[in-house]
Amino acid sequence: AAPAPAPAAAAVAAPKVSAPAVADKIAERFRTSNRGDRWRRPPRKWLNQLILATEERAEADRLVEAFSAYVDAQVPIRRWQQVGLIAALCRTRSWDALLDVLQRRRRLQLFLEQPKPLAAAVRALADDGAWEQLAALSRLLPSVLEPF
């Protein structure tokens, strides 16, 4: 008889989370919950899942919408989620959305105290040859990095 497989080998991989499905779930929960009812708002982990699952430009637009909805509902946004938003926009090459998010950073509660996520965005823009957006980002950098 063959030996039993190791537990790691026997484990079934979790199904990949679909960004559109998570975005729909978030939107539906915000639609059906009362604004002041913090127990009915979508959990923050759904935003985390959406950040990690976003792989295409259309999904990036839905991510920005969801991020805005969480901020509007006064759900505390963690630093990881702020950096994750910028990383997802870079990963999907959603340069216009990235610039829009950075221009609305105060309303979206993006407190970027460290330049590392922005340095990654600058590198990604340069690697992609998005020179106009890179110039726009360079004009934004002094105000983005200033303390609130």
Side-chain angles (χ1 to χ4, degrees):
V12 177
K16 186 176 179 327
V17 176
S18 160
V22 175
D24 289 343
K25 188 165 59 168
I26 290 170
E28 179 62 26
R29 179 67 72 91
F30 274 124
R31 252 191 315 276
T32 60
S33 67
N34 293 330
R35 182 168 169 77
D37 185 3
R38 60 180 276 196
W39 301 110
R40 286 291 306 148
R41 318 185 276 219
R44 203 171 24 230
K45 71 178 182 177
W46 290 359
L47 181 59
N48 296 345
Q49 291 172 348
L50 184 57
I51 288 169
L52 293 173
T54 300
E55 296 175 351
E56 297 178 19
R57 285 186 188 179
E59 296 169 354
D61 293 338
R62 298 283 308 272
L63 170 59
V64 172
E65 289 172 18
F67 195 93
S68 295
Y70 275 88
V71 171
D72 291 345
Q74 300 178 350
V75 177
I77 301 295
R78 303 287 187 235
R79 188 157 324 281
W80 180 91
Q81 293 163 325
Q82 297 172 25
V83 172
L85 173 65
I86 292 172
L89 295 176
C90 290
R91 186 172 58 245
T92 60
R93 293 185 164 96
S94 300
W95 307 131
D96 292 333
L98 173 67
L99 292 173
D100 179 57
V101 161
L102 291 176
Q103 288 170 344
R104 297 184 306 136
R105 68 194 171 281
R106 284 191 168 94
R107 191 186 102 41
L108 293 175
Q109 300 180 16
L110 290 177
F111 306 111
L112 301 172
E113 297 167 354
Q114 301 294 323
K116 190 173 182 177
L118 296 174
V122 167
R123 277 193 303 276
L125 282 162
D127 290 347
D128 201 37
W131 305 116
E132 289 179 28
Q133 290 91 344
L134 182 57
L137 177 61
S138 67
R139 287 189 297 272
L140 277 173
L141 284 178
S143 63
V144 169
L145 292 174
E146 74 185 13
F148 282 80

